[in-house]
Amino acid sequence: MLPGAMELFIDEARYQALLSKVGQGSASIEERLALCWHQRQREPAAAQQMALALLDQQHLLDASGLARLALVRAEQALLAIRAEPATKALQEAREGFELAADVEGLADCAWLQALQAVLDGRQAQAHPFLDEVRERAGAASLRWLAAGLWQDLLRTFADPVAGRARGAPSDEEIAALPLGAKAWAHELRGTLAAQRSDYGRAAAERLLACEYALASGQVHRAVVAIHNAADALNNLGAYEQSLHWMERALALVRERTWPQLMGYSLGQLGDTLRRLGRLDAAQEAVQEALALLSNSPTSRTFAI
């Protein structure tokens, strides 16, 4: 097994190393499991196929390995707005990780529950789960750092004054962060910049967040960062640039079965098209967004 293979996020070099080893037929079942885990957002369809293949050999997996497969299923169901299967798989994952006394696995369950709360529009309820991530992961780990930055981001949205007082990591501090945490640090800096109406800085920081998110396999986070960057660009009147980035976001989402994020992407695209005076295209994008979001917990808010 490659070092850190079951980390929350890994860089592209380690991902490609796993992919190569599996492709050559020389990977252990643990390495195939690690590849499945890190394909969950990079290549969701491939992750699903790998999960099915691993389940055919489940007698070779321990409780922690089976729990990791359940967590992959839970995340895919959550992003596909399939609440009941997501909850069932998440419970299965928690039970398996508890049986195996796998604290990192339990931390990853809590991370996914925080995401579930945010996607449901229950941002304040994400904090206890992020606290759990930090408690289980241990200080200075990627999980601990990323969860803390995510909490700071949520708190800054909830209370901008307190967010400004708390601040964000400096360039030197970001340089010392593991790759998977850098996206969250730049998103926080972008949010603080937007709140003080420094939209140029906000867009730049959020596009850096997108870059680091993609480099660490956080495709969902990357698309959200593009949404936020596009909003900042719209505030600058840079509508063509905003359109370019929203088309990039849509290209990423169309490769995946993530209807909620697709709906939000189309809504953001519609706003940009409206500002460009392309009203028919804007209306078409918004109508498609509403159809996709019909089963989303936050669909009514979006419609209003």
Side-chain angles (χ1 to χ4, degrees):
M1 177 83 73
L2 295 170
M6 281 303 176
E7 185 54 276
L8 184 58
F9 310 114
I10 60 172
D11 62 32
E12 194 63 19
R14 284 193 288 170
Y15 176 68
Q16 289 298 327
L18 277 172
L19 199 61
S20 175
K21 199 164 186 183
V22 171
Q24 292 168 6
S26 59
S28 66
I29 195 165
E30 290 83 5
E31 287 166 331
R32 291 167 63 205
L33 176 64
L35 177 62
C36 178
W37 173 240
H38 293 297
Q39 283 179 321
R40 68 194 191 275
Q41 289 192 20
R42 282 179 166 101
E43 299 179 82
Q48 187 174 16
Q49 290 178 352
M50 179 65 77
L52 291 172
L54 288 167
L55 283 173
D56 286 340
Q57 297 180 294
Q58 61 182 285
H59 61 284
L60 299 176
L61 292 170
D62 59 12
S64 180
L66 290 170
R68 185 65 61 177
L69 288 179
L71 192 56
V72 171
R73 292 199 305 275
E75 182 168 323
Q76 292 196 331
L78 176 64
L79 296 180
I81 326 180
R82 295 189 291 115
E84 188 174 339
T87 300
K88 183 179 178 181
L90 187 51
Q91 182 179 352
E92 182 183 338
R94 267 201 177 273
E95 290 172 355
F97 286 132
E98 285 170 357
L99 181 64
D102 185 335
V103 293
E104 289 186 344
L106 288 167
D108 294 344
C109 287
W111 178 277
L112 190 60
Q113 286 176 285
L115 178 60
Q116 185 175 40
V118 170
L119 293 180
D120 286 351
R122 302 178 285 108
Q123 281 78 359
Q125 294 178 35
H127 289 289
F129 296 119
L130 293 172
D131 285 336
E132 182 186 348
V133 173
R134 288 166 65 85
E135 288 166 9
R136 293 189 184 278
S141 67
L142 166 59
R143 291 174 173 90
W144 188 85
L145 291 163
L149 288 163
W150 192 0
Q151 283 187 310
D152 286 347
L153 182 61
L154 291 171
R155 289 172 178 143
T156 297
F157 274 115
D159 187 344
V161 174
R164 284 196 297 273
R166 196 165 38 246
S170 65
D171 289 344
E172 293 75 14
E173 289 169 329
I174 290 179
L177 289 173
L179 182 68
K182 291 180 190 288
W184 297 91
H186 282 292
E187 186 63 63
L188 176 59
R189 294 197 342 177
T191 297
L192 288 167
Q195 288 177 344
R196 62 176 183 267
S197 300
D198 185 353
Y199 297 116
R201 177 68 178 272
E205 291 285 354
R206 286 160 165 173
L207 291 176
L208 281 172
C210 170
E211 178 184 335
Y212 284 116
L214 288 175
S216 55
Q218 301 179 72
V219 181
H220 190 277
R221 183 72 243 165
V223 173
V224 173
I226 292 175
H227 290 183
N228 293 333
D231 186 63
L233 289 168
N234 282 341
N235 276 291
L236 288 170
Y239 304 136
E240 291 290 351
Q241 284 181 271
S242 175
L243 179 62
H244 165 79
W245 282 103
M246 285 314 305
E247 288 172 342
R248 169 71 170 138
L250 280 166
L252 287 169
V253 181
R254 286 192 195 281
E255 297 172 4
R256 296 158 176 86
T257 311
W258 295 347
Q260 186 175 33
L261 195 58
M262 173 66 91
Y264 290 151
S265 297
L266 286 163
Q268 182 77 37
L269 176 69
D271 180 49
T272 301
L273 289 168
R274 177 186 62 81
R275 293 168 187 261
L276 284 166
R278 295 167 57 180
L279 301 184
D280 289 344
Q283 185 175 16
E284 183 179 339
V286 171
Q287 289 302 318
E288 187 179 351
L290 289 170
L292 283 167
L293 291 170
S294 60
N295 294 322
S296 170
T298 55
S299 61
R300 183 175 182 276
T301 304
F302 180 85
I304 292 171

